[in-house]
């Protein structure tokens, strides 16, 4: 590669060349200045302003100096080379003596100038170096100097070409002197203008030559070398981009020629490229230019590929020099494609595989170039372009492998072996440069055996896929390289890896929804899954294929059949998202039953993409409970009876304005917002991913369903019914998932759009007695009624038996039975579905409660227990109120010492109550002790009472006989039992016993009071108004004890006179205590009263209490005690006295 | 030799809803990168519901802010139906046998479009993206509207008569046709394009009698 290389002569390096400057005159002087001069020139860049408005460039000049040689100059000027031609000629002198100048220097310069003029060179400079000897220096300046003389002699019109400078090395200021700086600047400018002129002239030449391109003898190769020279020169000046432009122009021109050849414009020189391709080694010379190749171009011996390679390597090296390595990578693919397309266009005959070999070598070398980039950002940039290159070489490698039988699973034939040899041979020859050898060696190794080929192929694929991934070009990575790899693994039989790559690609296609590509990938995948034995995926993919409209019907049918067979053969339950198999279009929830809001039907409208009609065993919709009904009572009313959903309207988001106001009420901002965005933002993919898991959680999956439905391709309308709703809780339910069982063990699931709901209201089982309006039940009598049972929504099964059970005191029997009992079983007379209710005619009998508590209503309960075949039971309780048909009251009546018992029976029934003759029996002390004499009439044995009527009975207690037989205090309490029989007047046969037991206490008369009002004094017989009268009360103690000869104790009473204050004014003491001493029987009290009005006035009455006086000894305070009824007999009760009006003053 | 003008082309509709400001949506980016991103101007949310606002700071000066709604942009599954963003909306070609291969190529080219949109080095006023992808046989050119509708044109690699300008012109024509289509109230954005007029324009470009 370098000069050390044996074929180093071959290498041409532009960087070795610098613009040449000749020097003449005082050579010793120049040698001493040479180093300083060249350093100074390259010290800083200079603006190169060019003609024709070309962009300005900054150029750093680094120059080489050669002694002037007139022969060499003549030769160089004559040649067309731009590199190696002296660009500037200088003449140096330090003569300051005018005499010396005149005698010697002038002739020397003259001679040199003659040479210049001879070659028409105008780029020359004469430099006079002045070395001042300050000591010798006279203070007077000479009139003319040598410099002035030279100027006037040689550069009269070109003053800038004659320069004077103080010898810097000798001067103290050295390079810093202004003269020296002026010299450097001038020289630089002159060099550049020289170049400018040179280039313009050269470009003119090139243009002229180009114009001749239609000349048959014109050759592009020759032209190429011409223009390349210009590029060289520009490169030499360090203007890489300009140099690149030259090459780009050449590239474009060449391409255009080839394109023109398509339309029959084939120039002579182009046909020389159209020879059969013999060598396909690709060498990219990055650092050097191969002289040999340039020679070959000159002699038109380069093949098209070699020429393209040369051109590209020149472009690449210039780009590298301009530190834009990524453009190399970017251009590489275009270059390769162009070269390959050129071969086709020019119809160049090339052995099979040769082009692929060439492309692979090129790629390998370009990749090496890209990898050698040092700067990380450049490397990153490069990687964007290397990935397609890698992919391209991958494809080419596959092509080669296919050609040579190196792909896995194939066996090389001898012909293919021969091909390999030919290909390797074609690569070997040509230029043995190390850059290329590595790539050739790699390729040769790859071609040597199937194993090495596979390894190389996979290496490249790995590199390609990772580079794409690194650049985040996932589609390229997975769909381009991934599918290539899948193809490769198909051959190698590695189904797992193949599947992996296909699945990855499929994911991308699905993400972007490219139907055709999805189908294509699925077709491949189906084979893989079948091979692997992945039933689940196989079925899923088959299903997708069967339902994709992009496939032709036969393929769809075929995959559907395969799927059905697979499911039948395997035992796996397959649950898949519905996706595109069945597309929901519309859902309507209709609730016919207004009362309970049962969605009696849910109509589905969906499109089936399956290839044929399927009889699907079941379609069901699962529901989720939104909320329990109790909490949702308010919302329940919001639940409409019909909900519907149309998929076509779903895409429109509910957007509204959203205005924001500041605190002070000013408008702050506005925007739009999506209502209910959460439901739209729900991730759909995660729901789809595991439908089965979601599905299993749901308890209500079968609630809405239809069985054995035919699903036809295209639109289907199916009504699902709500079934078995009895056993779910009340509440609002949302439709959740739709499940379609396509065939046994193949289920499709999809989520139903949110918002479809219905409400379920549960009805508990109820029972009630059916009674006519305004009719009530009565206790103590047989009542007919009907027990009506309403079975609730929750009863799962049909009721088999009903057990009736009542509170004590209530007996019942069914109509057909005769015996009353308090517990019985009834066989359910229910038929299956038709009705949820049953009526049982029932006879009830509630016992009369003890009547003495005077109850109005008797409450009873009846439990109804519904027993089903499973062990569930449901108990319903019925409360039954029984009214009493009659009430019985008793009363003790007294007359002096005689006692009577009165019984009143009141009737409350709607119907007539018939009563038998009653009797009363003394129960206590003993049955026989008390003798009761009936005072009732006995003529009518049956008394009928109507509602509200009362009947009274009266008995006298035969006291005298009783008292004689009884002993002491026992007689104080009597227990009596009133007995009778009653029945409804309509049914006199069904008599019921009525017993009324009661007790009479303290019935004996202890005190007899007789009172009256008399006129006091002698005023007259009658009382007069406002006249004081005397109220006299006579208290008489009972006399019973006298008979028994028991000495009577001392007893005290307290009396109070109770008088109507409008009638009587009590003038005396209104109350007092009367004490009966022992053996005293009677006492009389007189009190003065005054009638206030006239007429028949009821006399004042007396309230009498038993009085226990205080006993200080026994520390007992005095107390009053009320007498019980019957102990005090007021004989004067109700007596009136006649009060006369007051005698008027006149009469008196 | 028979020169085919354009082999094939495809239109992809990317986003309709998410076209606030610059949109460097990248499907390949990880999902966790879903934080709301400020698109332009300094701002704060008024509440989480608002997606954009015009705030009046002082009388007469209205500042417009546009920001990305939560989750809608990055997560392509969120609002739109699965496979909405980059799905082909119109495909036509002269010869059907190449269609599959070309679809693969165009699908991969989406990557390059998105890369170009993402890097944003390009002058966004120029909708034409230039050559996206080339193989030995085909060249894929791209064009992206401001609402991120992607157009692709594939031409035969050997056809060098079609220069950049011609291809630009094709795209512009397609864009016009597409705009006309969008103006049709009966067209639902995002649906597969079945418009008669659009088809006519597209076929016209294909056959070169434009």
């Amino acid at each position: 590669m370098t000069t050390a290389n044996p074929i180093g002569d071959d290498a041409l390096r532009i960087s070795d060349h610098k613009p040449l400057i000749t020097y003449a005159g005082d050579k010793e002087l120049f040698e001493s200045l040479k180093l300083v001069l060249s350093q100074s020139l390259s010290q800083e860049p200079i603006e190169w302003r060019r003609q024709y408005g070309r962009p300005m460039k900054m150029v750093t000049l680094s120059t080489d100096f050669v002694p002037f040689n007139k022969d060499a100059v003549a030769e160089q000027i004559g040649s067309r080379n731009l590199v190696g031609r002296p660009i500037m000629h200088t003449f140096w002198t330090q003569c300051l003596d005018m005499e010396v100048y005149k005698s010697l220097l002038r002739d020397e310069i003259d001679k040199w100038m003659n040479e210049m003029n001879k070659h028409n060179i105008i780029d020359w400079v004469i430099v006079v170096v002045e070395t001042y000897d300050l000591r010798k220096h006279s203070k007077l300046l000479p009139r003319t100097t040598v410099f002035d003389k030279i100027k006037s002699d040689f550069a009269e019109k070109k003053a800038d070409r004659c320069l004077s400078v103080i010898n810097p090395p000798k001067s103290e200021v050295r390079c810093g002197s202004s003269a020296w700086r002026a010299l450097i600047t001038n020289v630089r400018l002159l060099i550049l203008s020289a170049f400018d002129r040179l280039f313009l002239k050269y470009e003119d030449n090139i243009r002229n030559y180009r114009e001749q391109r239609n000349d048959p003898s014109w050759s592009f190769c020759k032209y190429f070398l011409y223009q390349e020279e210009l590029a060289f020169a520009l490169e030499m000046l360090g203007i890489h981009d300009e140099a690149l432009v030259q090459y780009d122009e050449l590239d474009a021109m060449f391409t255009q020629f080839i394109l023109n050849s398509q339309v029959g414009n084939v120039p002579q020189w182009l046909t020389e490229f159209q020879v059969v391709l013999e060598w396909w080694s690709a060498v990219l010379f990055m650092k050097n230019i191969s002289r040999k190749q340039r020679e070959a171009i000159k002699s038109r011996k380069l093949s098209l590929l070699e020429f393209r390679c040369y051109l590209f390597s020149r472009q690449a090296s210039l780009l590298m020099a301009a530190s834009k390595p990524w453009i190399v990578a970017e251009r590489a693919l275009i270059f390769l494609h162009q070269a390959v397309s050129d071969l086709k266009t020019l119809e160049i005959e090339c052995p099979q595989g040769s082009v692929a070999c060439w492309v692979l070598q090129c790629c390998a070398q370009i990749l090496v170039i890209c990898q050698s980039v040092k700067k990380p950002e450049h490397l990153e940039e490069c990687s964007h372009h290397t990935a397609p290159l890698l992919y391209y070489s991958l494809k080419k490698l596959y092509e080669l492998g296919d050609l040579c039988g190196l792909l896995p699973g194939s066996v090389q034939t001898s012909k293919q072996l021969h091909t390999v040899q030919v290909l390797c041979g074609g690569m070997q020859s040509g230029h043995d440069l190390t850059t290329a050898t590595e790539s050739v060696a790699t390729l040769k190794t790859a071609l040597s055996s199937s194993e090495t080929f596979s390894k190389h192929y996979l290496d490249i694929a790995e590199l390609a896929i990772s580079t794409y991934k690194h650049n985040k070009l996932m589609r390229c990575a997975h769909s381009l390289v991934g599918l290539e790899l899948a193809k490769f693994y198909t051959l190698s039989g590695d189904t797992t890896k193949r599947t992996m790559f296909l699945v990855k690609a499929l994911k991308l296609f699905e993400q972007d929804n490219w139907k055709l590509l999805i189908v294509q990938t699925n077709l491949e995948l189906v084979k893989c899954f079948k091979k692997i034995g992945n039933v689940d995926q196989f079925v899923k993919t088959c299903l997708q294929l069967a339902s994709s409209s992009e496939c032709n019907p036969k393929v769809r049918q075929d995959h559907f059949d395969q799927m059905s067979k697979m499911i039948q053969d395997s035992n796996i339950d397959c649950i898949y998202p519905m996706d595109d198999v069945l597309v929901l279009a519309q859902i309507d929830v209709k609730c016919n039953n207004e009362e309970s809001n049962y969605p009696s039907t849910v109509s589905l409208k969906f499109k089936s993409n399956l290839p044929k009609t399927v009889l699907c065993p079941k379609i069901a919709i699962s529901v989720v409970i939104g909320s329990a009904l109790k909490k949702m009572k308010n919302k329940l009313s919001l639940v409409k009876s019909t909900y519907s959903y149309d998929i076509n309207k779903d895409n429109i988001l509910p957007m509204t304005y959203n205005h924001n106001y500041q605190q002070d009420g000013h408008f702050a901002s506005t925007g739009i917002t999506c209502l209910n965005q959460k439901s739209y933002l729900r991730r759909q993919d995660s729901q789809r991913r595991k439908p089965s898991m979601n599905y299993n959680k749901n308890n209500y999956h079968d609630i809405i369903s239809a069985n054995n439905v035919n699903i036809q391709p295209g639109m289907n309308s199916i009504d699902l019914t709500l079934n078995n709703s009895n056993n779910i809780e009340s509440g609002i339910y949302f439709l959740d998932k739709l499940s379609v069982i396509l065939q046994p063990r193949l289920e499709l699931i999809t989520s139903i759009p949110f918002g479809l709901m219905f409400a379920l209201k549960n009805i508990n089982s109820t029972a009630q007695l059916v009674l006519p309006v305004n009719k009530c039940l009565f206790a103590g009598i047989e009542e007919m009624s009907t027990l009506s049972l309403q079975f609730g929504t929750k009863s799962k099964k049909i009721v088999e038996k009903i057990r009736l059970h009542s509170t004590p005191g209530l007996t019942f029997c069914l109509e057909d039975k005769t015996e009353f009992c308090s517990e019985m079983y009834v066989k359910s007379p229910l038929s299956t579905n038709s009705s949820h209710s049953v009526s049982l005619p029932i006879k009830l009998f509630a016992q009369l409660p003890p009547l003495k508590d005077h109850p109005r209503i008797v409450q009873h309960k009846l439990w109804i227990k519904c027993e089903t075949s499973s062990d569930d039971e449901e108990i319903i309780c019925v409360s039954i109120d029984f009214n009493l048909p009659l009430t019985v009251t008793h009363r003790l009546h007294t007359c002096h010492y005689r006692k009577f018992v009165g019984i009143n029976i009141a009737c409350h029934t709607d119907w007539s109550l018939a009563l038998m003759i009653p009797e009363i029996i003394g129960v206590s002390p003993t049955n026989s002790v008390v003798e009761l004499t009936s005072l009732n009439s006995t003529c009518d044995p049956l008394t009928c009472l109507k509602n509200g009527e009362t009947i009274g009975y009266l008995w006298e207690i035969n006291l005298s006989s009783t008292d004689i037989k009884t002993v002491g205090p026992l007689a104080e309490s009597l227990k009596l039992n009133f007995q009778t029989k009653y029945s409804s007047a309509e049914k006199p046969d069904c008599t019921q016993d009525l017993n009324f037991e009661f007790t009479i206490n303290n019935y004996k008369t202890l005190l007899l009071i007789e009172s009256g009002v008399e006129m006091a004094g002698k005023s007259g017989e009658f009382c007069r108004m406002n006249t004081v009268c005397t109220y006299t009360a006579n208290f008489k103690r009972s006399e019973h004890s006298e008979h028994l000869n028991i000495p009577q104790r001392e007893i005290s009473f307290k009396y109070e006179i109770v008088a109507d204050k409008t009638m009587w004014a009590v003038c005396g003491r209104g109350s007092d205590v009367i004490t009966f001493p022992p053996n005293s029987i009677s006492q009389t009290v007189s009190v003065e009263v005054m009638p206030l009005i006239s007429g028949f006035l009821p006399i004042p009455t007396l309230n009498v209490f038993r009085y226990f006086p205080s006993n200080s000894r026994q520390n007992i305070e005095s107390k009053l005690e009320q007498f019980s009824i019957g102990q005090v007999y007021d004989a004067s009760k109700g007596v009136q006295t006649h009060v006369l009006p007051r005698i008027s003053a006149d009469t008196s | 030799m028979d020169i085919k003008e354009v082999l094939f082309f495809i239109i992809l509709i990317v986003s309709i809803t998410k076209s606030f400001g610059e949109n460097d949506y990248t499907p390949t980016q990880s999902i966790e990168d879903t934080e709301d991103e400020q698109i332009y101007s300094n701002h704060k949310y008024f509440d989480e519901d608002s997606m954009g606002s015009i705030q009046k700071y002082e009388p007469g000066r209205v500042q417009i802010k546009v920001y990305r709604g939560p989750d809608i942009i990055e997560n392509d599954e969120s609002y739109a139906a699965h496979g909405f963003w980059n799905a082909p909306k119109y495909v036509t070609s002269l010869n059907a046998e190449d269609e599959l291969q070309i679809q693969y190529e165009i699908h991969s080219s989406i990557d390059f479009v998105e890369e170009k949109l993402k890097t944003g080095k390009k002058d966004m006023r120029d909708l034409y993206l230039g050559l996206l992808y080339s193989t030995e046989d085909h060249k894929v050119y791209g064009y992206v509207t401001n609402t991120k509708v992607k157009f692709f044109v594939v031409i035969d690699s050997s056809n060098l008569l079609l220069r950049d300008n011609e291809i630009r012109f094709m795209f512009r024509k397609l864009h016009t046709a597409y705009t006309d289509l969008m103006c049709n109230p009966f067209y639902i954005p995002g649906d597969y394009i079945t418009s008669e007029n659009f088809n006519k324009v597209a076929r016209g470009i294909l056959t070169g009698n434009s």
Side-chain angles (χ1 to χ4, degrees), chain A residues 643-660:
Chain A
Y643 278 90
S644 64
Y645 166 76
D646 197 337
I647 216 105
N648 294 327
K649 290 171 189 158
D650 188 46
N651 283 333
I652 299 159
L653 288 174
M655 304 296 286
T656 58
Y657 290 108
N658 179 26
H659 302 302
N660 289 305

Side-chain angles (χ1 to χ4, degrees), chain A residues 259 337 384 392 396 473-476 479-480 483 509 511-514 651 653 668-670 677 680 683, chain B residues 12 27-28 49 53-54 56 75 78-79 83 86-88 103-104 107-108 110-111 114-115 133-134 136 160:
Chain A
L259 278 179
H337 286 155
H384 280 268
Y392 187 44
K396 284 292 168 195
L473 301 173
M474 289 303 166
R475 290 185 184 87
C476 295
S479 88
L480 289 179
L483 288 179
F509 298 146
Q511 179 197 308
D512 294 339
N513 201 11
W514 284 62
N651 283 333
L653 288 174
S669 70
T670 189
Q677 52 171 298
Y680 292 97
R683 287 179 67 97
Chain B
L12 298 169
T28 49
D49 289 333
S53 74
I54 301 171
K56 198 169 177 183
N75 180 2
S78 55
Y79 157 60
N86 278 320
Q103 282 215 15
Y104 277 123
H107 181 254
S108 307
I110 296 173
D111 267 352
E114 278 172 357
E115 193 186 26
Y133 180 78
S134 66
E136 276 181 22
L160 287 161

